[in-house]
Amino acid sequence: MNTKYRKTIIAGNWKMNMLVSDIKPFIEELKPLLPKVKTCDTVLCVPAVNVPAMIRAGKEAKIACGTQDVSCHDKGAYTGEISAAQIADVGAKFCIVGHSERRAYHNETDLDVNCKAKKLLEHGVSPIICVGESLEQREAGLTMSHINYQVRAALAGIDAAGLRRCVIAYEPIWAIGTGKTATAEQAEEVCGEIRSIVREIYGARPARSISILYGGSMNAKNAAELLAMPDIDGGLIGGASLKPADFATIIAATGAENE
């Protein structure tokens, strides 16, 4: 992390878990475990039906609320979709776009990710843009070329002002929900490459300012090592974000370098 130039962000992704009735007890258990000194911005990206309850419960613990997807459309006959305007109207501050599960199960393309990021920015919501390679791509030596394309496609047509609201999350597909984790050095290598790509597009200052998260099975045991890397500015946390003690440990790890 480099807290001098950019925000540290720990964002939980609850995926399709938890009920509205689970939220208040979760926050009540989490709150006393949080560091007394704020070391990062904390976000919980929850199912859309849980957003109002999370916003209410999260206020006291200073936890922002995010959603997990958004429509490319502004409004209309798109049953089941949720627009960026609706996300902003209900009070969510972040939204995940391009998660590997959306790409795999819903055939979401890089151009879809770009469209969704732009819609969110139009309404003042910060997109958490996910990029990452499969195991086959890594073993074939295609990681960097694949990441390069994904980042450039996701950011196409987004100006420097829009970039300031964007967050990029590197989530190697082979390390999501598998128990496998990229080594700190592997994660740093790709996060550093992402920053280099942003530098090529926007210049040194925007590249230095953008927060890049690691999202491949970061947990309470490996968070400190991953977060010690200079180009890893936080985490997009899956399973561990459902456990208050583990999530709090990861949040606390963002302050380790200041101890």
Side-chain angles (χ1 to χ4, degrees):
M1 298 177 295
N2 189 329
T3 56
K4 180 179 179 181
Y5 294 113
R6 48 192 176 264
K7 289 182 180 179
T8 302
I9 300 171
I10 298 296
N13 176 14
W14 277 8
K15 304 189 180 184
M16 198 172 70
N17 293 293
M18 302 291 245
L19 304 176
V20 167
S21 57
D22 296 322
I23 292 173
K24 187 175 180 181
F26 178 94
I27 296 297
E28 287 177 346
E29 185 177 346
L30 174 65
K31 188 181 173 185
L33 303 176
L34 295 174
K36 290 184 174 61
V37 177
K38 188 175 181 181
T39 55
C40 67
D41 287 357
T42 306
V43 185
L44 281 169
C45 296
V46 301
V49 294
N50 291 359
V51 167
M54 177 55 72
I55 290 173
R56 288 193 299 271
K59 279 183 180 178
E60 196 173 337
K62 297 181 180 178
I63 295 174
C65 182
T67 57
Q68 300 171 9
D69 189 34
V70 64
S71 176
C72 274
H73 306 286
D74 292 319
K75 61 181 179 179
Y78 302 102
T79 301
E81 294 285 276
I82 299 171
S83 73
Q86 290 169 327
I87 289 172
D89 185 58
V90 78
K93 302 300 182 185
F94 293 83
C95 179
I96 299 169
V97 294
H99 191 280
S100 63
E101 292 161 359
R102 297 293 311 177
R103 295 177 190 260
Y105 306 149
H106 301 277
N107 300 313
E108 194 164 293
T109 69
D110 291 298
L111 295 182
D112 292 333
V113 175
N114 176 248
C115 175
K116 291 180 177 189
K118 287 177 177 176
K119 291 297 181 186
L120 291 167
L121 291 170
E122 286 175 14
H123 293 278
V125 179
S126 293
I128 300 175
I129 300 167
C130 298
V131 299
E133 82 283 13
S134 67
L135 181 60
E136 292 77 14
Q137 288 166 330
R138 173 163 281 273
E139 290 178 342
L142 298 174
T143 294
M144 295 310 185
S145 59
H146 181 68
I147 295 295
N148 195 305
Y149 176 78
Q150 284 192 313
V151 172
R152 291 180 185 275
L155 297 177
I158 295 176
D159 62 16
L163 181 74
R164 285 196 290 271
R165 294 194 65 91
C166 292
V167 178
I168 298 177
Y170 168 52
E171 46 153 30
I173 298 169
W174 49 271
I176 298 171
T178 62
K180 297 180 180 179
T181 309
T183 66
E185 291 74 22
Q186 287 173 323
E188 168 64 16
E189 181 183 25
V190 179
C191 290
E193 177 67 13
I194 291 169
R195 201 174 304 284
S196 295
I197 296 164
V198 174
R199 187 180 299 111
E200 288 178 17
I201 302 170
Y202 296 96
R205 183 173 293 180
R208 195 169 56 207
S209 300
I210 191 168
S211 296
I212 300 174
L213 316 183
Y214 174 71
S217 295
M218 183 184 284
N219 56 52
K221 292 181 179 179
N222 63 28
E225 183 182 10
L226 287 161
L227 292 168
M229 296 292 107
D231 287 302
I232 298 177
D233 305 309
L236 180 59
I237 316 300
S241 71
L242 296 166
K243 303 172 184 177
D246 287 2
F247 195 50
T249 297
I250 294 169
I251 293 167
T254 64
E257 65 178 16
N258 299 319
E259 292 177 359

